[in-house]
Amino acid sequence: AQKVTQAQTEISVVEKEDVTLDCVYETRDTTYYLFWYKQPPSGELVFLIRRNSFDEQNEISGRYSWNFQKSTSSFNFTITASQVVDSAVYFCALSGISGSARQLTFGSGTQLTVLP
Amino acid sequence: DTAVSQTPKYLVTQMGNDKSIKCEQNLGHDTMYWYKQDSKKFLKIMFSYNNKELIINETVPNRFSPKSPDKAHLNLHINSLELGDSAVYFCASSQGRFGGSVSEQYFGPGTRLTVT
């Protein structure tokens, strides 16, 4: 069975602070995919990143960066110099590639509030 | 152009009624999904269709019935609505299920269903 844990239910930071959102996953598969989605107050779900289990390179996109560590089954997300517009619920998700595992299993989300 | 659209955005109805939510995607994707997001923001997959064929059917009451008239549309019909059906329902789509690759999913804006 697949499982995604986002232990931080809520995080509050002041604008311009850096913040890291944690994601720990469990899977028996050797090949799998990890995702992050953002859900701003308007409610839509916005795709941020997809990473497969064979690519452990960290990724940076502007102020966003992701740290994938297979050894600790973690896929953490860091926002540098946070802005008020970053306030949202962030979801980490996992998908296997075959059978019943080939579907997105979401974590419970982390509510990030960036204060001005 | 909206990539994944849903109608209606809000749906308020009484217990026992039957209602439908429509979803359309113009991304040329082969696979479409329905998710339910409860009041605690937990996201769970309900159904998935690939080229009009049902491929994922999670443990969902049989009052919920998806219908895919073509690969660009996936509608959700709910019979005999109950209070516990109140939630936000998201439609999503992704590229086809090819081999060992899992594509990201793109979500519609959601339909907030309130059953009174």
Side-chain angles (χ1 to χ4, degrees):
Chain A
Q2 300 181 134
K3 186 178 177 183
V4 177
T5 302
Q6 295 180 256
Q8 304 151 308
T9 309
E10 294 181 20
I11 300 177
S12 190
V13 298
V14 176
E15 211 171 15
K16 296 184 185 169
E17 284 185 4
D18 299 346
V19 58
T20 296
L21 309 183
D22 297 334
C23 173
V24 174
Y25 61 92
E26 294 175 32
T27 179
R28 291 189 184 135
D29 294 341
T30 53
T31 304
Y32 50 88
Y33 284 77
L34 294 160
F35 304 81
W36 276 94
Y37 282 85
K38 174 182 180 180
Q39 187 173 38
S42 49
E44 72 273 23
L45 281 153
V46 179
F47 165 72
L48 294 178
I49 190 170
R50 175 191 116 180
R51 171 69 75 214
N52 78 46
S53 52
F54 294 110
D55 183 359
E56 290 193 67
Q57 273 202 323
N58 291 332
E59 177 143 347
I60 298 174
S61 176
R63 295 184 298 106
Y64 294 172
S65 61
W66 290 269
N67 182 349
F68 176 31
Q69 296 217 336
K70 224 167 167 177
S71 59
T72 56
S73 297
S74 65
F75 187 42
N76 297 338
F77 173 30
T78 296
I79 303 175
T80 303
S82 59
Q83 300 176 1
V84 172
V85 293
D86 296 328
S87 296
V89 180
Y90 290 87
F91 292 96
C92 181
L94 165 70
S95 175
I97 64 167
S98 60
S100 61
R102 194 176 180 128
Q103 57 181 287
L104 280 182
T105 298
F106 282 89
S108 54
T110 297
Q111 170 73 62
L112 173 65
T113 302
V114 181
L115 303 167
Chain B
D1 264 353
T2 305
V4 183
S5 59
Q6 293 178 230
T7 53
K9 189 162 172 60
Y10 299 96
L11 187 50
V12 181
T13 188
Q14 291 185 327
M15 273 179 15
N17 284 349
D18 302 339
K19 290 293 177 187
S20 292
I21 307 172
K22 295 187 175 181
C23 177
E24 175 181 1
Q25 53 95 4
N26 63 6
L27 296 167
H29 289 164
D30 291 321
T31 308
M32 296 184 72
Y33 312 80
W34 277 110
Y35 287 85
K36 179 180 181 180
Q37 185 174 45
D38 64 23
S39 58
K40 295 185 178 175
K41 298 278 191 178
F42 187 69
L43 272 159
K44 186 146 179 16
I45 190 163
M46 301 172 69
F47 302 103
S48 173
Y49 269 75
N50 183 248
N51 270 323
K52 301 196 298 174
E53 181 187 343
L54 181 65
I55 50 173
I56 293 174
N57 184 355
E58 288 297 295
T59 308
V60 175
N62 57 14
R63 299 181 294 103
F64 290 78
S65 53
K67 291 249 175 14
S68 182
D70 56 61
K71 73 174 195 177
H73 296 84
L74 180 62
N75 303 325
L76 183 65
H77 188 75
I78 316 170
N79 288 328
S80 304
L81 277 155
E82 299 177 357
L83 291 176
D85 297 332
S86 295
V88 180
Y89 292 85
F90 285 97
C91 176
S93 73
S94 69
Q95 287 181 345
R97 298 161 65 85
F98 301 118
S101 178
V102 175
S103 302
E104 62 273 17
Q105 295 179 22
Y106 292 91
F107 285 77
T111 295
R112 182 173 293 277
L113 171 64
T114 304
V115 183
T116 62

